[in-house]
Each structure stands twice: as C-alpha cells, then as structure tokens.
Amino acid sequence: MRFTKLRLNGFKSFVDPTDLVIHEGLTGVVGPNGCGKSNLLEALRWVMGENRPTAMRGGGMEDVIFNGAATRTARNFAEVALMIDNADRLAPSGFNDSDMIEIVRRITRDAGSAYRANSKEVRARDVQMLFADASTGSHSPALVRQGQISELINAKPKARRRVLEEAAGISGLYARRHEAELKLQGTEQNLTRVDDVLEQLAQQLSVLTRQARQAARYREISEELRLAEGMLLYRRWREADEARGLAEAGLRERLIAAGQAEAAARAAGKAREAAEDALPPKREEEAIAGAILQRLILQREALGDQEARAMALIETLRGRIAQLGADMEREAGLNRDAGEVIGRLDWEIEQISRAHEGHDERLAEAVEAAREAGAILTDRETLLSEATEDSARLAARHQSAARLLAETQAGVDRAEAEAVRAREAVAAAETAVADGGRGAGSRRGSARGGGGTGGTVRGGAGGGRGGAGRGAGPRGRGAGGAQRGRRRGQRPAGRGGRAGAAGGPRGAGGASDPGPAGGGAGL
C-alpha cells in the first residue's frame, strides 16, 4: 500500500480544498515559516486516527477547524481525505475490495468526528488497525515531527525497539495481540459472570423445583377440596330443600293465623269505635278535673310565696331585735357612767359644803358640771326610752308575723288536702272512663262541690288578712302615749309609754298589714 494523495478542506490554515499529490520516490514541501508545512504532517496523523489534541497543537479537537481570519469567515467543519494505492491487495480483508482506498475523516462543531472508508462508515479502531497492519499510523516513527530526531537519539531501549518493530513491519501484530488480550480478558470476565449466572440459576432451579412440588400438592389438594365442596353444596341443597318445605308449611299456618288475626282486628276496631264514641264525656270530665287541679296548684304556689315573704320579714325583724338589744346594752352602759358621774359630783358637793371656805368660783364650776351631768343623764334616759319603745314595737311585729305564718301554714295544709281530694276525684274519673261511663252525673256533682271548697279556702285567707288589719289600733295608742311622755321629758311618763306599747298584744297584727289607725307604729 502506498499513499498517493492527501486532500484537505477547512483543516487549520487550509480553508479552501487543497490536494497534496505524493509521487513515487521523495516528495518535499518547501516554504517559509508559518506557511503550513507542519499542518500537512498533522493532517496526515489526524486522518490516520490521532485523538490527542496536544498532538494537534491545540486545546481541543475542534481547534483543527478553521477559526476564521480578518478576510475569511470561520468554517463549521474540517475534512481530510487520504488516497491509498492498493494494487498489491495487501490491505486487511475489510478494505481489500478495490485497488484504491479512500480514508476520510470529518469533524463538525459540537458533533464529533466520523470516519469513512470508500464512502462507508467505519470505526476509528478499524482505521487504526488498517494503518497498523501497514507498519505505520499516527504514532509511527516514520512521521518525524519537530524535535523527534533528538528524542530518538535520547530514547530508551524500549522506544528504540518499537522503532525497529515498525521498521520490520510487525507493529500491527503487537496491536492485534493487544486487542486479542483485551478480548481474552473480556471473555474471562464474561465466563466469570456466566458462572455467577449459573449459580443463580441453580438456586432458582432448586426454588422452582420446590415450587413445582408445592404446585403439584396444591393441585391434589384443590381436587380434594373441589370434591369436598361439591359434597358440602349437595348436602346444603338437600337441607335447603327440606327447610323450604318446612317454610311453606309454616307459611300456610301463618296465613291461616293472619286471617284469624285480621278478623280479630276488625272486631277490635269495632270495639275501639264504640269506646271512642263513649270517650268525649270522659275527656270532658278529665279536663274539668285538670282545671281544678291546676287552680289548686296555683293557690299552693301563691301560699308558698306568702310564706317565703313572711319568713324573710321574720328574719329582718330578728336582725332589728338583735340590733336594739345591742343599743339597749350600750344605753345601759351610758346610764351607769352617768350614775357614777352624779355620785362623784354629789361627793364633791358634800366635800365642798363641808369645806366651804368661800370658794365661790369652785362652787359655781361644780354647779355648772352638775347641770351638764343632769342634761347628759336626761338625754341618755330619752334615748333609752326610745330604744325600749322600738324593742316593744319589734316584739309586737314579730308576734304578728308568727301568727300570719301560722295562718298561712293552715291555708297551705287546707290547699294540700283539697289537692289530695282533687287527685282522688281524677282517679275516680279515670276509673269511670274505664268502666264505660257508669255514674258520670254523680261524679260531675262531686267535682263541682270540690270547686266550692276552693272558694272557702280563699275566703279563709281573706279573713286572716282582715283580722291582721284590725289589730293595729291598740298598738298605735300605746306608741302615742310613749311619745307624749317623751315630749314632757319626765322619766315616769317614759316608763308608762313602754308599758302601753307592750300591753297591746292584740294590736301587733298591724305590722304585716297596717290599717289607718296603726300608722304611728311603723319603724
């Protein structure tokens, strides 16, 4: 195989399509620095499969694409084609179909490189093996780059051996050997994975065998179960058929009983209609009894309210009595103090009269102190008289409240008795309704008599209130006598007033309901 032509399009400085014809013998390229001589060698390396950007003197493989100049726009792809003469048919079997082999490598921005051999897509590995079998390639020592001569002189024996092997034409064998070793390693790894898969399959086989035995056992049990279920369903069908027969017999009996019950229901309906015809009078009697009972309940509630008010009044009077007792004790203490002062003044007067030596001024002072003490004593006696009168009035009002409470309790007892008689009348009315209405006229008369009794209770309560109003006269006269004694400023008159207030127990009834004559007795 011999290189015949190199075509460049958009590769580095070769922006336009350029052909380099390689003749037999030695072909040289002469030119100044920077004209692109090294680019031709790099294009040859690149088309033979070079993948290192540093070997192309760039930072990335896309740097081989023409990037533009001041007068030219940048290209989007770069392409290099190498024409090989294969007249001797020394190429590998995959490329040995024609006399000329055209190897094309094309790189596009953001798309990567692609190889074609005689217009067919091939792998980069196939192109590299093609040139390795021809004892050349992108790394061949036959392609001498800048500085490579000094590297060969200073190279190690291993690098020199590689140069000799390429010169002898066996470098392709080493490449194929390396590829074969890689394939053997891959095969060994595959065998190892196959062993693992076989172990897994063996485990799965044991599991599947156990599951197969379980499935066979399941089929046997399923057959037995279907047989047992069939027998059970047949037995249940027989039992259901017998139960159906019994149910039909029971249904006939129930139909007969239903006909009898319907006849009885019709008879009961007729009886109910007759009872409903007799029910309105009984309902009227029940309504009358309920009205009487409601009236009695209202009367009892009213009496309860009166009792509560009376109890509250009694508690108030008790508090006033306790307060008046405390006032009486305080007045008694003041009287004792006044008596002591009078005794001391008497003693001083006696001493002064005995030791009278003409001390008129002292005598006048003593007389004045005695007058003041007498005035104080008179005021204390007046207050004591008023407290005594208040106590008598409170005692009278307490007695009146107690008598009113007793009368109220008696009225409540009478009302409860009337309520009991009314409930008995209601029970009798209900009994009469159950008996079919016998004796209705006589019970209505009893109910009207019960209503008259209620009127008697109200009359009794009114009489009690009237008596309480008439009892206010004597107490008013006793209080008036006490006031007249207080206006005179004499102690005997005050004591007479207290006696007059306490001596009229009959007039204490005016405390709860005072009449015109008892107006002076109020607190």
Side-chain angles (χ1 to χ4, degrees):
M1 295 191 302
R2 187 176 63 83
F3 298 161
T4 60
K5 185 170 61 175
L6 181 67
R7 180 184 299 116
L8 299 89
N9 185 11
F11 185 85
K12 289 195 173 184
S13 61
F14 297 95
V15 60
D16 296 324
T18 304
D19 293 338
L20 174 63
V21 179
I22 304 173
H23 299 282
E24 293 183 3
L26 184 62
T27 300
V29 179
V30 180
N33 292 333
C35 66
K37 299 184 297 296
S38 300
N39 291 341
L40 293 174
L41 181 60
E42 291 173 359
L44 190 61
R45 286 178 179 275
W46 187 68
V47 75
M48 286 191 293
E50 179 61 60
N51 291 323
R52 295 177 302 167
T54 55
M56 299 290 105
R57 297 182 297 173
M61 192 56 67
E62 292 182 357
D63 292 342
V64 301
I65 302 173
F66 178 69
N67 201 23
T71 58
R72 302 295 297 270
T73 59
R75 298 293 294 273
N76 195 32
F77 69 93
E79 183 179 271
V80 177
L82 180 62
M83 305 299 292
I84 303 174
D85 183 7
N86 190 30
D88 298 334
R89 303 289 179 169
L90 298 178
S93 60
F95 303 93
N96 208 12
D97 296 335
S98 60
D99 294 338
M100 293 297 294
I101 301 174
E102 182 183 12
I103 304 299
V104 180
R105 183 177 183 182
R106 182 187 179 96
I107 183 171
T108 307
R109 293 187 189 274
D110 301 328
S113 298
Y115 290 88
R116 291 195 309 274
N118 293 334
S119 303
K120 294 181 181 179
E121 295 285 341
V122 293
R123 299 179 302 169
R125 184 67 178 170
D126 297 334
V127 173
Q128 292 173 0
M129 291 303 299
L130 170 64
F131 291 108
D133 290 340
S135 298
T136 183
S138 60
H139 302 286
S140 174
L143 301 176
V144 180
R145 64 180 182 278
Q146 293 179 1
Q148 190 172 2
I149 300 300
S150 60
E151 291 179 3
L152 289 175
I153 294 172
N154 299 323
K156 295 181 180 180
K158 187 175 182 181
R160 293 179 182 177
R161 179 181 178 182
R162 188 170 65 250
V163 173
L164 295 176
E165 288 175 352
E166 288 181 357
I170 60 174
S171 60
L173 297 176
Y174 280 102
R176 292 184 179 278
R177 175 184 175 182
H178 179 66
E179 184 177 2
E181 289 177 353
L182 292 177
K183 289 181 179 179
L184 287 174
Q185 291 178 1
T187 304
E188 290 177 356
Q189 293 177 358
N190 292 333
L191 289 174
T192 304
R193 285 197 295 272
V194 167
D195 294 336
D196 296 338
V197 171
L198 288 175
E199 292 179 1
Q200 294 177 359
L201 292 176
Q203 295 176 0
Q204 293 178 2
L205 180 62
S206 61
V207 174
L208 291 174
T209 304
R210 184 171 64 254
Q211 291 178 356
R213 289 195 299 269
Q214 292 177 355
R217 178 62 178 166
Y218 174 76
R219 283 195 296 271
E220 294 175 359
I221 294 174
S222 297
E223 292 293 335
E224 295 175 359
L225 182 61
R226 279 195 295 272
L227 180 60
E229 287 178 350
M231 296 177 64
L232 178 61
L233 290 174
Y234 176 74
R235 182 175 180 181
R236 287 181 178 177
W237 176 78
R238 291 290 302 274
E239 293 176 354
D241 190 26
E242 294 175 357
R244 183 182 60 81
L246 295 175
E248 289 179 352
L251 178 61
R252 287 192 295 272
E253 294 177 358
R254 297 296 186 277
L255 290 174
I256 295 171
Q260 295 175 356
E262 186 177 359
R266 285 194 297 271
K270 294 179 180 179
R272 182 177 62 82
E273 291 176 357
E276 287 179 352
D277 294 337
L279 188 60
K282 305 301 184 293
R283 288 181 175 174
E284 183 179 358
E285 294 176 0
E286 182 182 3
I288 294 171
I292 294 171
L293 179 61
Q294 185 66 25
R295 186 168 60 252
L296 293 175
I297 290 172
L298 294 175
Q299 291 177 0
R300 185 180 63 180
E301 291 178 354
L303 292 174
D305 294 339
Q306 292 178 4
E307 180 183 2
R309 288 195 297 271
M311 292 300 295
L313 182 59
I314 289 171
E315 292 296 328
T316 304
L317 294 175
R318 285 177 180 173
R320 294 298 301 275
I321 289 171
Q323 184 178 0
L324 291 174
D327 293 340
M328 290 173 66
E329 291 179 359
R330 187 174 64 253
E331 294 298 332
L334 293 175
N335 288 334
R336 285 194 300 271
D337 294 340
E340 292 177 358
V341 171
I342 292 170
R344 188 171 62 253
L345 292 175
D346 291 339
W347 178 79
E348 289 179 356
I349 291 170
E350 184 180 356
Q351 293 295 327
I352 290 171
S353 62
R354 288 180 180 178
H356 181 67
E357 296 179 357
H359 301 288
D360 296 334
E361 295 179 357
R362 291 182 179 179
L363 180 59
E365 293 176 357
V367 171
E368 184 66 24
R371 288 197 189 95
E372 292 177 357
I376 292 172
L377 180 60
T378 302
D379 293 336
R380 296 296 184 271
E381 288 178 352
T382 302
L383 293 174
L384 180 60
S385 176
E386 292 177 356
T388 304
E389 290 175 359
D390 292 337
S391 177
R393 284 196 298 274
L394 290 175
R397 294 184 67 177
H398 181 269
Q399 293 175 1
S400 176
R403 187 167 58 255
L404 178 60
L405 179 60
E407 292 175 357
T408 303
Q409 187 63 37
V412 170
D413 294 337
R414 287 194 297 274
E416 289 179 351
E418 291 296 331
V420 170
R421 285 196 295 275
R423 283 194 292 272
E424 292 175 354
V426 172
E430 292 176 352
T431 305
V433 170
D435 293 338
R438 292 191 299 272
S442 60
R443 281 190 296 274
R444 281 196 297 272
S446 300
R448 284 193 294 271
T453 306
T456 305
V457 173
R458 289 195 298 275
R465 288 196 297 273
R470 287 192 297 273
R475 189 167 66 90
R477 289 193 294 273
Q483 290 173 0
R484 286 193 298 272
R486 196 163 50 244
R487 281 194 300 271
R488 294 190 188 96
Q490 298 175 1
R491 294 176 61 186
R495 285 192 295 269
R498 287 196 300 274
R506 226 172 17 163
S512 63
D513 192 6
L523 293 179

